[in-house]
Amino acid sequence: MKRNLSALKKALQFGISGAVGGFVGNLITEPFMQRLPNSESFFDSVLSTGRWFGLERLPDSASFFDSVFSTARWFGLVGCGIATAIMFGYYYYIKGKPQIKQALKNGGLFGLIAGAISGAIAEGIYSGIGDGNNELLRVLCWGIAGSLLGLGLAQRIPNLGALRGAGGGGVGGVLGGCLFILFAYNLSGTAGRLAGCAAIGFWIGIMLVVAETLFNKAWLVISYDTGANRTLTLGSEPVTFGSDENLSIICIPNVSPLAMRFQLEAGNIVCENLDSGAVSYLRSGDQKRIGNCTITVGNSDLPAPTPANIPPTFISNQPAVNSFTSSQLSLKLGSRVIPLSAGTQLFTSDIPSLTAAGSNGLVAIVTSRSRNELSLGLTNLCDRAWWATDIQGDIKMVEPESTLTLALGTQIEFGEIDGEIV
């Protein structure tokens, strides 16, 4: 739920930013879009006559290359505005404050280039095979322009990915292009272009986030103590946390300059604590605490736990209170202390807040990978997840049929009852 709400907020922020960028980008070009009387200059006669973006057809005297070149310059400025604004929205989303200089640096030039290239390609296709009245082809050309612009943005937004960037930008271009044509037919020239470019930017921004959310394999939900939430996609590029804005993607006050790093490596979610040097492999639902926020890991590709995944167990028919133990670990539940060894069984009578998944009333069992009990785990056999917090403060969700490795000091929330490994 937190991820969905955060993704919705992110999509709206990107969409609004893109709309403002498209509006401003086209507003800059408007002085060149008007043909001056008795003037034969290139800017006056050609720049206002690109065909695929919904304006009048080129005069017979204008060449194919003039049309392509003029449209490239026009959409270059529009693309510059959209890219810069979307990067502004991205930085504001992850940092919580305006980053105008960074947005211009990472969005301006490449947006200008990507917009010019995509505009030239789209105009070349439309002018080469279109007849000036083929609206389906015009919309397709908007999709091509949006796809190339999204592909460029994928190089600037960490872990967005080329396919998601191009796909999201393409769909956004098609949706925005439909509105552009609608506005062009129902509003005056300037008003139609301004509204149309705003629609293009809006839908490209929205669809980039939709594509990222639907098709990412792993993500982080960052929950701040203030109640704010943010979602970031995990991939090959590390997502870093720390107090130094130049070193960290997410800036956290009162921690090390570079404190923690998350990355997706060969399908595994890897977390590196740069203060201690500890490296941990995480699964969906695991949590890390740093500064004023809690980081929850999500993974769409994680297979559901099955009995085949559970380590072999040595089962005793004795209930928990009578189990013999050669280990030094016990489970403390209020005033009760239950010794734990391989095969120790916990029933609903031991932990009344849990409901067994089976009819035998068994809610948990202690497992071991070897008979010398060097490593014990507690397998969840109830119908709900537990939450475990180790002595370092790391939080882990223990799903049904999954196993928690037991360690001294680990605290476990069994619903309304709290336990501790002692």
Side-chain angles (χ1 to χ4, degrees):
M1 180 62 72
K2 286 183 179 180
R3 181 203 177 199
N4 294 335
L5 291 175
S6 182
L8 177 60
K9 176 184 175 182
K10 185 177 182 180
L12 289 175
Q13 198 157 317
F14 276 42
I16 293 172
S17 297
V20 173
F23 183 93
V24 172
N26 189 78
L27 186 64
I28 294 173
T29 69
E30 277 303 309
F32 306 106
M33 303 294 283
Q34 307 299 326
R35 297 181 60 179
L36 298 177
N38 302 321
S39 173
E40 298 297 332
S41 72
F42 176 80
F43 286 103
D44 294 335
S45 63
V46 177
L47 189 55
S48 63
T49 54
R51 297 169 64 194
W52 72 274
F53 56 86
L55 301 177
E56 68 268 22
R57 185 170 180 151
L58 274 167
D60 293 337
S61 60
S63 71
F64 169 82
F65 292 103
D66 288 338
S67 174
V68 170
F69 186 60
S70 63
T71 303
R73 289 195 292 181
W74 172 74
F75 199 65
L77 289 173
V78 173
C80 174
I82 292 174
T84 300
I86 288 179
M87 290 306 301
F88 177 88
Y90 168 74
Y91 288 124
Y92 189 82
Y93 176 78
I94 64 171
K95 296 183 181 297
K97 59 182 180 179
Q99 301 281 316
I100 299 176
K101 184 177 179 180
Q102 278 188 297
L104 285 170
K105 177 182 177 182
N106 294 318
L109 180 59
F110 101 87
L112 179 67
I113 296 172
I117 293 174
S118 61
I121 292 174
E123 179 65 32
I125 293 173
Y126 191 82
S127 296
I129 64 177
D131 59 4
N133 297 309
N134 190 330
E135 302 301 343
L136 181 61
L137 181 59
R138 198 192 307 274
V139 169
L140 177 62
C141 288
W142 274 118
I144 293 172
S147 181
L148 292 176
L149 192 59
L151 182 62
L153 282 165
Q155 310 305 312
R156 292 294 185 270
I157 299 177
N159 298 316
L160 173 59
L163 289 177
R164 291 192 292 265
V171 174
V174 168
L175 295 174
C178 292
L179 289 177
F180 188 105
I181 295 171
L182 179 65
F183 293 144
Y185 277 118
N186 291 278
L187 299 175
S188 66
T190 298
R193 287 190 292 270
L194 290 171
C197 287
I200 294 290
F202 177 81
W203 281 110
I204 288 178
I206 288 282
M207 294 311 300
L208 284 177
V209 178
V210 170
E212 178 188 48
T213 303
L214 290 179
F215 299 106
N216 61 359
K217 294 182 178 180
W219 59 88
L220 301 176
V221 177
I222 306 163
S223 303
Y224 292 87
D225 294 343
T226 58
N229 294 291
R230 294 185 176 91
T231 302
L232 289 181
T233 295
L234 277 178
S236 58
E237 187 171 345
V239 176
T240 52
F241 294 76
S243 58
D244 190 331
E245 291 188 356
N246 297 320
L247 299 175
S248 306
I249 292 177
I250 301 296
C251 189
I252 306 294
N254 303 319
V255 299
S256 300
L258 185 59
M260 197 171 289
R261 178 165 53 207
F262 293 81
Q263 194 170 4
L264 190 63
E265 295 181 353
N268 296 313
I269 301 173
V270 182
C271 173
E272 182 179 2
N273 188 321
L274 298 173
D275 290 330
S276 65
V279 176
S280 55
Y281 292 84
L282 308 177
R283 57 175 293 164
S284 186
D286 287 353
Q287 293 184 327
K288 293 287 186 179
R289 179 73 183 177
I290 176 172
N292 62 348
C293 68
T294 300
I295 305 163
T296 305
V297 173
N299 186 351
S300 61
D301 285 348
L302 184 69
T306 63
N309 296 335
I310 301 174
T313 62
F314 304 100
I315 301 176
S316 165
N317 292 324
Q318 299 295 326
V321 291
N322 296 323
S323 292
F324 172 78
T325 177
S326 60
S327 73
Q328 309 236 338
L329 298 180
S330 299
L331 174 63
K332 183 178 181 182
L333 296 169
S335 59
R336 294 183 61 201
V337 177
I338 302 174
L340 301 178
S341 63
T344 299
Q345 300 176 7
L346 300 175
F347 295 88
T348 52
S349 57
D350 299 309
I351 312 177
S353 60
L354 300 181
T355 301
S359 59
N360 57 0
L362 189 64
V363 294
I365 188 169
V366 179
T367 63
S368 176
R369 295 184 180 273
S370 59
R371 291 186 181 274
N372 58 15
E373 299 187 2
L374 293 177
S375 177
L376 295 177
L378 188 64
T379 300
N380 183 352
L381 298 179
C382 72
D383 61 355
R384 63 186 296 177
W386 311 331
W387 290 96
T389 305
D390 62 22
I391 57 175
Q392 295 180 338
D394 291 338
I395 304 172
K396 178 182 180 67
M397 182 171 68
V398 186
E399 298 172 342
E401 297 187 345
S402 64
T403 300
L404 170 69
T405 300
L406 297 180
L408 283 173
T410 299
Q411 297 181 351
I412 311 173
E413 294 182 17
F414 301 107
E416 291 76 26
I417 295 179
D418 294 333
E420 182 180 1
I421 303 300
V422 296

